[in-house]
Amino acid sequence: HRCSSLHFPSSHRPPEEFVVWAFVSLGHNSVFIMFRMIFPAVLVLLVLTGLLIITIQGIVDEQANAGGATNLRLLSSPVSSDEEEGPLTVLLFSDRIEGIITTIGSMIRSTSSPFNIILIGQPESNEKAQMHFRERTNSFITMTIGEAQEDLVAQGQNPIWSWKEWHSSRDPVWKNNNTIHVAEWDNLHTHDHELNHLRFYIPYLSVVRDVKDIFFIDDDVLIQKDLGEVFRRVDAKDAGLTCPCNIWVWNDQCHHFDFKSKHINIMEASPLYGGRPKCQTDDEDFCLPDNFESFVNQSLPSGHADPEDQTAWNFGFCLFHMNNWKKMELTEKYENAMKVNYQFHEVPETSLVFGLGIPFLAFAGAVQCWDEGVLKVRDGFGFIDWQRYQKTFGDAFFSSVDVAHYTGPKKPWVPFTTIEAPAAEPWLEMMKLEGMDIPEQLPEMPTNKLFQLMTSYRSGSEWFMTMLDQHSTICASGETQRPETGFPTESMLGMGTPWIPVCALKRGCTFGFVRDSIFEWVNFNLTNSVCEPDFKGSGDSPEFLQYPDHRKRICNFVDALQNNFTVEAIIVEWVQAFANEDKNFLGCGCPRGTQIKGLKVMVDWIHTLTKQASKDPKHIPNLEETSFNNQKVIRLKRANLWERYKSLLKAQVTESWHARSADATEQKAEIHVPVEKAMANIDFM
């Protein structure tokens, strides 16, 4: 809390000139008399002046600590690199004290330069953070959201949350033919919170009026690089801000996330529903209206006609170049795009498209990406599976990451977090260094409690398992929380699963895939030579040999079976691998915190009436010999046999076994079935 520019006018200074003049004029004989006359008054004046300096300094410090936004112009940018470096300015929006302290603590520990910290949040968390970092920063200024809003208005701004249209999309009648059909997952009030939109007005806060560059960071980042070095190496050029351009994109074909670095444009990214089709009916979700292209073009700044030329980015760890921002009028461009949205009623305010997609359009041509040689940012630590990181970057990649961003719904400081241990541990270690209590953790070992859902075709088992899987401690496949590595709901189906692409990790987790691959091993007379790391499968090789992850795990199964390649032996090993969640055999697993896990089993798979039926590839002859023995069983039946029978006939004719869309449920089929056959089938059911 320094105020080095504090000066007093000459009329308030101690009268040193008067004292010296008096001594000289009166001569040596009168010095002692004059000293006795003047000294008490001079001494009192000096004491009062000192008290005045202390009082004024205390007022300045109190204003800085209290976070009052009014007339605070304490901060300025670091001086140029050829002079002595000044403090770096960092701004956070947060009221999550665990995130604030860990993020700022990692930054201070990694950086040699001093910091001016600005925290905008709630009074309680502001005060705690300020006390925690006292004497560790050059200054620590706090503001509440209300104070920041009042300050912007005082600076002549009319922020979006002051508009009459703000929150108008909450009215059910707001939607029209232009409104996007949002995805089921895309409905968060985070996107229509004032704090989410305050970032577009940062350059106009009075507290940073004289700052040329400011780090704007989220409260869920772990910083492992000296930001002073980063700042010195950034060339702002004509950019309004420098941000990460690394995006995780869901790969529909292979059912996993792909890491894209500077290779995806904004129209391909999820904040603008990249790749989604146009809506065909009113009942569809996660699709785009007919006018979306027109909306995009009108939301872009003039001179940026092709949005596909714009690289996708995110706000997690940015450097705002304040002068460029103002010169480029980025706040005005953001407001113009929002006015277009309210005019067309295009995007509801709780959608990701509102919170980040529209800013993608408004900031076209204004964002430059971090050079990976300057700053390597990796995000997704709150939702990407750890083995996907290892697959993408290598086993020891974390030590080379400069900024780890825990994006996603799961946070490492939450008690019983389901973030995988290798991803959570670096964050928890920083919490320890900052003297914080470590939240309770979930056990790392998988549960050995199992259940089976025993059911029949067309009885609603998929719906039932999906419902169970929503529960935080039940893993009824695990796909809800872990779409890439959860077990498929049809994992125990003893035949191929062609609807799961072979490039997907989950394909290798099914019993049918493992059984068929081992049978191919036997039929092709394969040897352990195919298990060597440098082996390359050819186009006519068995399917599992063409994908290294599948090949490695099938090799492990073969070793464990010790030449006993019967169906009975394979099912015992497979169920044991499921129970243990052994990644050496199956790449899938349940979320951390699972207390019981299970899979569905069709009655037809384990119950046969004839020897011919026992040769059915779906048949499981010895389930009682597996780890499922003496475990829980849920028996699910559909009471209305007539409806079940009709559904079964329709599925057989149309081959629509899973009604995942309105189109499937509306399909019709004309089928001729003799009454006698129908009665016999229903009787069997």
Side-chain angles (χ1 to χ4, degrees), residues 281 284 650 660-668:
T281 67
E284 287 181 84
K650 178 180 173 181
R660 294 191 174 97
S661 68
D663 291 342
T665 58
E666 292 170 3
Q667 282 184 323
K668 299 185 183 303

Side-chain angles (χ1 to χ4, degrees), residues 382-671:
F383 70 95
I384 299 295
D385 285 288
W386 187 256
Q387 60 180 316
R388 175 53 50 190
Y389 279 109
Q390 293 175 308
K391 179 79 174 175
T392 306
F393 305 118
D395 291 340
F397 77 95
F398 198 92
S399 60
S400 67
V401 173
D402 298 327
V403 175
H405 191 185
Y406 289 78
T407 49
K410 298 176 285 188
K411 299 302 176 188
W413 61 79
V414 175
F416 306 111
T417 181
T418 56
I419 294 178
E420 292 175 273
E425 284 168 1
W427 182 279
L428 299 178
E429 186 61 33
M430 184 56 63
M431 289 184 72
K432 287 181 185 177
L433 291 174
E434 288 297 323
M436 303 184 70
D437 294 332
I438 303 302
E440 288 191 75
Q441 299 295 297
L442 293 167
E444 294 186 31
M445 294 298 294
T447 180
N448 57 7
K449 294 182 179 179
L450 307 179
F451 75 89
Q452 299 172 52
L453 179 72
M454 194 74 66
T455 186
S456 301
Y457 296 110
R458 320 312 294 171
S459 296
S461 60
E462 185 171 351
W463 162 81
F464 190 79
M465 291 291 282
T466 302
M467 179 193 69
L468 290 179
D469 208 44
Q470 305 286 329
H471 196 283
S472 60
T473 63
I474 300 175
C475 175
S477 76
E479 286 189 293
T480 301
Q481 293 189 47
R482 302 177 71 177
E484 178 177 348
T485 60
F487 288 93
T489 55
E490 306 285 356
S491 290
M492 293 197 69
L493 181 62
M495 57 183 291
T497 49
W499 60 88
I500 303 176
V502 68
C503 60
L505 179 144
K506 290 194 290 188
R507 178 71 169 268
C509 298
T510 62
F511 167 61
F513 179 85
V514 171
R515 193 201 65 170
D516 291 349
S517 298
I518 292 173
F519 284 177
E520 287 179 311
W521 180 288
V522 174
N523 293 336
F524 281 82
N525 294 314
L526 299 178
T527 65
N528 286 336
S529 62
V530 303
C531 301
E532 297 298 326
D534 56 351
F535 177 84
K536 301 291 183 183
S538 60
D540 57 352
S541 299
E543 197 175 54
F544 75 92
L545 290 180
Q546 300 175 35
Y547 294 86
D549 288 343
H550 294 331
R551 177 167 55 86
K552 178 176 63 176
R553 292 186 172 107
I554 294 300
C555 286
N556 292 336
F557 268 112
V558 169
D559 286 344
L561 289 168
Q562 298 181 350
N563 292 321
N564 181 6
F565 299 137
T566 62
V567 172
E568 290 83 354
I570 296 171
I571 190 62
V572 169
E573 285 295 333
W574 187 91
V575 173
Q576 187 66 40
F578 166 76
N580 295 337
E581 297 181 48
D582 192 333
K583 296 297 189 292
N584 292 314
F585 296 94
L586 302 174
C588 300
C590 290
R592 285 183 73 190
T594 294
Q595 295 180 14
I596 187 168
K597 61 192 172 194
L599 297 170
K600 74 174 181 180
V601 179
M602 296 294 180
V603 173
D604 293 2
W605 300 352
I606 62 172
H607 174 65
T608 59
L609 298 179
T610 66
K611 290 183 179 180
Q612 184 65 30
S614 67
K615 296 179 181 179
D616 189 317
K618 300 187 295 293
H619 182 54
I620 301 174
N622 59 323
L623 195 60
E624 73 279 359
E625 296 176 4
T626 70
S627 299
F628 277 119
N629 193 33
N630 292 323
Q631 299 284 350
K632 296 182 181 297
V633 175
I634 302 171
R635 182 69 172 99
L636 177 66
K637 293 184 178 181
R638 185 171 179 177
N640 192 326
L641 291 179
W642 176 239
E643 288 298 328
R644 181 185 158 206
Y645 180 60
K646 289 194 299 180
S647 176
L648 181 60
L649 290 176
K650 178 180 173 181
Q652 289 173 339
V653 172
T654 63
E655 297 186 352
S656 295
W657 291 94
H658 300 280
R660 294 191 174 97
S661 68
D663 291 342
T665 58
E666 292 170 3
Q667 282 184 323
K668 299 185 183 303
E670 292 187 7
I671 307 167

